[in-house]
Amino acid sequence: MSDDAKREDAVERALAKLDVEDKVRLLSGQDFWTLPALPGIGLASLVMSDGPVGVRGTGWAPDDPSIALPSPTALAATWDTELARTAGRTLGQECRRKGVHVLLAPTVNLHRSPLGGRHFECYSEDPLLTGEIGAAYVTGVQDQGVGTTVKHFVGNDAETDRMKVDVRVDQRTLRELYLAPFARITAAGAWGAMAAYNTVNGLTMTEHGPLQNGVLKDEWAWDGVIVSDWTAARSTVPSALGGLDVVMPAFGDPWGPALVKAVHDGEVPEDVLDDKVRRVLRLAARVGILAGAPPVVPSVPALDGSQVARDIAARSFVLARNENNLLPLDAGTLGSVALLGALAVDARVLGGGSALVFPPHVISPHDGLAAALLSARLVYAPGADPRPTLPPASFDELTATLRATDFRVLYSAALPAATVRWMGGLPAGVAPDELSTVELSGRLTPTVTGVHDLSIVGFGHFVLRVAGDVIFEGPVFADDLDPETVFHEPVERRFPVPLTAGDAVDVSLTLEVTPATAGFVGFSIGYAPPGPTPDELLDQAVAAARDADVAVVVVGTTEEVESEGFDRTSLALPGRQDELVFRVAAANPRTVVVVNSGSPVLMPWADEVPAVLLTWFPGQEAGAALADVLLGLTEPGGRLPTTWPRRAEDCPVLSTTPASGVLSYDEGVFIGYRAWQRGTVAPLFPFGHGMGYTTWSYESMEIHPEPDHVGSVVVTLRNTGSRPGREVVQIYAGAVVGTTVDRPERWLAGFAPVTAAPGETVTVRIPLPERAFQIWDDGWQAVPGTYRIEAARSVDDRPLSAELSI
Ligand code: BGC
C-alpha cells in the first residue's frame, strides 16, 4: 500500500469514530493558532503560524527568534525557482524546530496597484512568475513534511476595507490573472489554502461556493483544506455550505454549537461536514500528527538559514542603473566611503503586519560594509531620518517582565531592543486571564548632557518611569479602538527628559493588560539623544559625501508606509530622503543609491545618480548581502517582478479605494506591464529589468515542437564581458495576426536563469505552456493564429524574435 493510501485509510478509520460534536470541534481554532487535539482518535493539536518570510511561532517571543528571509518581492525578483524551493525548505525546517505544522504562506495575490499595503508580501504583477515562484516555495516547505496555506483566495490585492470590500471582476480576468497562481500552486500539491476577507462579485470569500467548492475543490480536484483568514468567517450555514473547512481563530467563531445544531437540523448535510473533517485529518496525517498514518518524511539535508537569507538577498537585488560601471566598487583601491541615511544603520529588513518575525540578528548596511571594507575608511551620517516614530531603545539590561495581579512574575526575558509584540499568543506558560502587566525596563547611560526624547509607541494604559519618577501615567489610544487595527498602526507619545552625561538612569514602561487587550500586546520605548536639527543632519551628510571616494545613500520606506492592514497613500519616499539624494549626488558624482523598500517608490533623482540598486526588504542578512554585491563578490542577480513607475499618475491602475464598498477591476486583464505596453508613457524601470556585472549577446533562438506541449524555445546567448555572470532569459508571447480577442501586446510565457563564464556560450530550452495561447471564454479556449515569440532581457528589451503558428 502506498503512503498516500495508508494515510487515506487512517483518515477514514479516524472519521468513523467521531460524532457530530467532535467533528465540529475539529473544524475551529481552540485559540489563536491551533486546532484541538482529539486523543480518542490519536490526533494531536495542529499548530499554524505566519509566514511568509519566517516562522513566527505561536508565542512570537523575543527569546525564540526566527530566520527572516528577504521579502516575497525579493524572492520573486530572483526569478529562480530552485532558490524559491530552498527558501521554502529553510522555512519548513524552521517550522519543525518550532513545532509548527502549517505555515500560513505564501501570499500570491497580485500587484494590481503599487499602493497595495501588502505589495511587499506578494510576488509579482505577473501570474506566471507568481505561480512558478509560489509553487517552488510550497514544494520546498512541504518537502519538510510541513503544510502551507496559499493565500488569500482570492481578490485580496489591496488592504483598504479588506473585510468588507466587494471586488468586482469579470470571469476572464479572474481566470487569466488572479486565480492563475492558485491554480498552479494547488496543482503543485499545496496542502492548504486561506480564504480571503474580501467579497468577490457580491459573495464574501469564506462563503463563496462557486469559487471554493466549484473551482478550487471540484474543477481543480484539489484535496487540501481551506482555512479562513483570521476572523474572516462571519456566518454559520453559508460558510459551511460555501466550502470553508476551518474557522480561525477561536475568537468570534461562528461555528461550534451553531454548526452542530445546523447539522442536526439538516441545514448542513453531514456528508458536507465529513468532507471538511476528512480534509483536516488528511492534513494532520501528512504532517504526522494522526496516529497510524505515515507522515510525509523530510529527506532534506539541514540548511544554514543565515546563508540562505544572504544568498537570496544578493540574488534578488536589482541593479537598475549603473552608469560607467560605477559598481562594483574595488575594495582594494577605495580610500573612503560615506554611508548615508538612517536606514543604513536601522535597516528595514521585513514588512509590517502578520509577516513580522523576530530575527536572531540583523546585519545592517553599516555592519556589512564595516566588516567587508578592507582598508577604506567608512564614515556614517544619517542625513535624513524617514522614521516618524523614535526607534526602539537599546538600553543596557533590557528586560520584558510579565506579572499577574498579585505581582507574581509569570515570564521574564532579556530583549535586544525595547519592543514586544504578541498577537493572539503570549510567551509560553502565560495565560491571558492571569496577565496583569507587561513591563519593559532597562538602564540608560547618557553620553551627552541635554534634553533626551523618550516615547511610548503602542496603545493602552501606561506608566513611564525614569530614575524612579513617574513621567507619564495614563492612556495612549488611537482614534480607532479596534485592537487589531491599532496593533498594526500604533500611536506615539514623546516625553522630553533632561539627562546628564554619565549619570545612568533606570527607565521602565509598564502596560496594564485587560482580558480584552491580552490578545494584542505590542509596544515599545522609543529613544533619541539630543542631536542635530534636520537641516544640520542634511548638511553633515553632504559634507561627508563631498570628502569621500564614493557615497552610498540608503533610502527607503518605514513600517508606517508599508504594512498589512492599510494601503499606501503615496509612492514618494517619506521624510526628506529625496532631498538627501539630490544633494549628495550634487556633492559627489560617484553616488550609489540603495533603495530599501518592499515595493516601488518614486525616484525623482534617478537620472541624476550613476548607480541605483533596489534591495527590497532584504531579510536579516541585509548588510552582508549588500557588501557582497557592492564590492563585487556576488553579482546582483535580480530582475524586476513588477513595473516601477516614474510618476504615480502614470500607473495604469493606482487607486485601491472602493467606491460605495465596491472595488471594480475595470481594467480587466490589463494590469502591470500588460497595461503599460498599451499606454504612451514609459515607466522608469520596466518589468523584467535588471543588470549584472557582465554583458550578454543574444545570438539565436529556435522554436522546437514538443510532443506534450506547444513547443520549446531554444535560446543561445554569450557572456561578452570579462566576469562570470548570470542572466534571466525571459520569453514573451504576443499575437501577430490580430484576432478579435483583446489581449495584451505581449505576456510572459516562460523564463530561465543561465550562468556563463566570460566568453562562454550557453543554450537554454524553455518550454512554452499551452495556457500561454489560451484565453478564458466560458472555459479555456485555444486561440489559433500566428504568435510572435521573443527572447528578452526585460519586457522592453527583446533582442530575438521568431514566429509560431498555433
Ligand atoms: C492576515 C493573514 C494571516 C493571519 C494570521 C491575517 O490578518 O491577513 O495573512 O495569516 O492574519 O496572522
Side-chain angles (χ1 to χ4, degrees), residues 231-385:
T231 70
R234 283 151 287 187
S235 69
T236 306
V237 175
S239 61
L241 295 179
L244 187 68
D245 298 314
V246 169
V247 167
M248 286 302 291
F251 163 73
D253 176 13
W255 284 6
L259 182 55
V260 171
K261 181 170 182 311
V263 174
H264 287 317
D265 292 351
E267 282 181 284
V268 174
E270 194 160 345
D271 61 343
V272 169
L273 188 68
D274 285 352
D275 179 63
K276 299 179 197 305
V277 175
R278 216 173 251 125
R279 287 168 186 270
V280 174
L281 291 174
R282 183 179 298 127
L283 175 61
R286 284 169 165 163
V287 301
I289 58 166
L290 180 64
V296 173
V297 182
S299 54
V300 182
L303 289 155
D304 173 350
S306 298
Q307 190 59 47
V308 173
R310 184 168 176 165
D311 292 346
I312 295 174
R315 186 60 68 75
S316 75
F317 292 174
V318 175
L319 183 58
R321 188 173 157 86
N322 193 20
E323 297 298 291
N324 305 319
N325 296 328
L326 175 56
L327 293 179
L329 305 171
D330 180 356
T333 58
L334 267 183
S336 59
V337 175
L339 181 62
L340 312 167
L343 301 186
V345 165
D346 184 15
R348 184 126 159 74
V349 300
L350 32 76
S354 56
L356 264 183
V357 295
F358 281 110
H361 60 250
V362 168
I363 300 180
S364 69
H366 189 276
D367 300 334
L369 277 174
L373 283 173
L374 304 173
S375 49
R377 203 159 51 89
L378 182 65
V379 179
Y380 168 69
D385 190 343

Side-chain angles (χ1 to χ4, degrees), residues 54-74:
V55 183
R56 204 168 54 224
T58 54
W60 207 354
D63 53 357
D64 182 19
S66 163
I67 296 288
L69 299 181
S71 57
T73 36

Side-chain angles (χ1 to χ4, degrees), residues 33 50 56 104 118 151-152 162 194 197 229-230 354 423 484 564:
W33 304 113
D50 289 299
R56 204 168 54 224
L104 302 172
R118 293 177 93 168
K151 67 189 188 182
H152 307 86
R162 63 177 176 168
M194 186 185 287
Y197 288 123
D229 199 344
W230 267 228
S354 56
M423 181 174 71
E484 195 179 340
E564 176 182 336

